[in-house]
Amino acid sequence: MFLIFLGPPGSGKGTQAKFLEAELNLVHLSTGDLLRSVVKEGTQIGKQAKVYMDKGELVPDNLIVDLIKTQMESTRSKNGYLLDGFPRTLGQVEMLEQMLSKTNRTIDRVIKFSLSEETLIKRLTGRLVCSVCGANFNTFFNPPKKKGLCDNCGGSLEKRGDDQAEIVRKRLEVYNQQSQPVEEYYRKQRKLMEVNASQTLQKTLAALKELIARDVSKSARGKSR
Ligand code: AP5
Ligand code: MG
């Protein structure tokens, strides 16, 4: 199975992908997470990417594709892949298709996370991330039991550098300009489904599972014909 989660910053892609990765035995690849780890390591790619990330702009396509290619080659696909935040430009769509065609694979579904801009801003400005295990919390919607500490591992919680109000606005603008054409592309291909991501974590997860199960049973019927 090859799934893509698309959606504006703060729509819940990463949170839901983490739940589904374990449940569906998929490899979760988030370009945002991969970039943050190379920035932390201080690699050459990390140094180049940081300049764009700090401003809320997209990192150039060639850097992203090299990163995702290396990651795909080094991870063993269990039941498949769940791409989170990639592809984000039409150039990345093209590069992904070239990559997949070499191994005779295709994308099964693209799921778009939909919700209002007002909620997105609250989710981003309230987000807290565990510095040890990466778990996500939110001061407004999902506060930790103990202030500043992760419920899962006790690690300290931090704000992401690009979650400041001004950079959040820029990221939303960049999404509308550069990533909405990606939605349109997959809509025309009849691969795009939408999930109402303004629901609670559990309701959104249940809706996603239903969409994925519906798709899997449909493609299984298609194959048996
Ligand atoms: P990236 O890390 O991908 O950031 P993003 O797309 O801006 O999305 P986020 O990770 O901020 O949001 P999310 O949808 O994952 O939401 P989350 O689950 O965390 O990219 C960062 C930067 O890297 C980019 O700006 C760019 O520079 C670069 N980059 C990355 N990929 C790139 C690419 N392909 N090409 C070029 N550049 C790229 O949830 C957010 C918050 O809401 C959390 O606090 C969570 O607890 C809370 N929450 C989630 N769901 C719910 C819910 N249902 N109810 C209440 N609260 C919720
Ligand atoms: Mg994310």
Side-chain angles (χ1 to χ4, degrees):
M1 191 188 324
F2 220 105
L3 293 174
I4 294 176
F5 280 0
L6 269 184
S11 53
K13 306 178 296 291
T15 305
Q16 296 295 342
K18 283 192 181 88
F19 291 144
L20 289 166
E21 174 183 31
E23 233 174 289
L24 302 178
N25 217 6
L26 297 171
V27 175
H28 168 209
L29 291 181
S30 151
T31 40
D33 290 347
L34 290 173
L35 285 166
R36 278 182 288 281
S37 81
V38 291
V39 168
K40 210 169 171 182
E41 287 162 17
T43 64
Q44 198 51 39
I45 294 186
K47 283 180 190 147
Q48 286 173 265
K50 189 175 183 309
V51 178
Y52 299 92
M53 295 168 80
D54 285 350
K55 291 190 281 191
E57 291 172 4
L58 292 184
V59 173
D61 288 351
N62 60 320
L63 294 184
I64 296 292
V65 172
D66 283 351
L67 204 68
I68 203 117
K69 224 179 191 168
T70 314
Q71 199 64 22
M72 269 193 192
E73 282 164 5
S74 66
T75 46
R76 193 178 286 266
S77 150
K78 301 168 205 168
N79 282 339
Y81 288 94
L82 199 176
L83 302 183
D84 157 11
F86 173 86
R88 239 151 138 132
T89 63
L90 290 175
Q92 292 178 17
V93 168
E94 207 181 313
M95 291 178 194
L96 175 64
E97 286 186 355
Q98 282 170 9
M99 231 188 285
L100 294 182
S101 71
K102 286 188 188 143
T103 47
N104 274 332
R105 284 178 295 182
T106 52
I107 291 149
D108 296 293
R109 271 296 164 208
V110 180
I111 303 183
K112 151 88 195 288
F113 285 52
S114 300
L115 72 169
S116 74
E117 195 158 308
E118 193 191 331
T119 314
L120 288 173
I121 291 172
K122 247 183 147 176
R123 284 198 187 168
L124 290 169
T125 50
R127 171 164 51 192
L128 296 168
V129 184
C130 175
S131 56
V132 179
C133 73
N136 257 290
F137 298 87
N138 194 288
T139 45
F140 304 109
F141 302 113
N142 176 28
K145 291 190 182 93
K146 281 192 195 152
K147 200 176 169 204
L149 295 178
C150 175
D151 291 357
N152 305 337
C153 73
S156 64
L157 299 180
E158 294 172 346
K159 276 183 103 59
R160 245 170 68 174
D162 58 354
D163 280 346
Q164 297 161 46
E166 201 180 305
I167 305 174
V168 163
R169 270 195 298 278
K170 176 71 185 171
R171 287 162 62 202
L172 291 170
E173 193 186 303
V174 166
Y175 184 85
N176 292 334
Q177 284 170 359
Q178 293 182 261
S179 302
Q180 272 188 355
V182 175
E183 283 178 27
E184 286 315 310
Y185 175 85
Y186 286 120
R187 185 170 285 120
K188 281 194 189 130
Q189 290 218 329
R190 303 173 70 86
K191 287 191 172 168
L192 193 82
M193 290 175 140
E194 276 191 47
V195 69
N196 171 4
S198 62
Q199 307 174 87
T200 61
L201 287 173
Q202 288 313 320
K203 281 193 178 155
T204 308
L205 178 63
L208 281 169
K209 284 204 241 174
E210 205 199 301
L211 285 181
I212 295 167
R214 202 197 295 168
D215 180 48
V216 167
S217 58
K218 242 197 239 164
S219 50
R221 275 204 307 277
K223 275 176 195 149
S224 64
R225 268 181 205 142

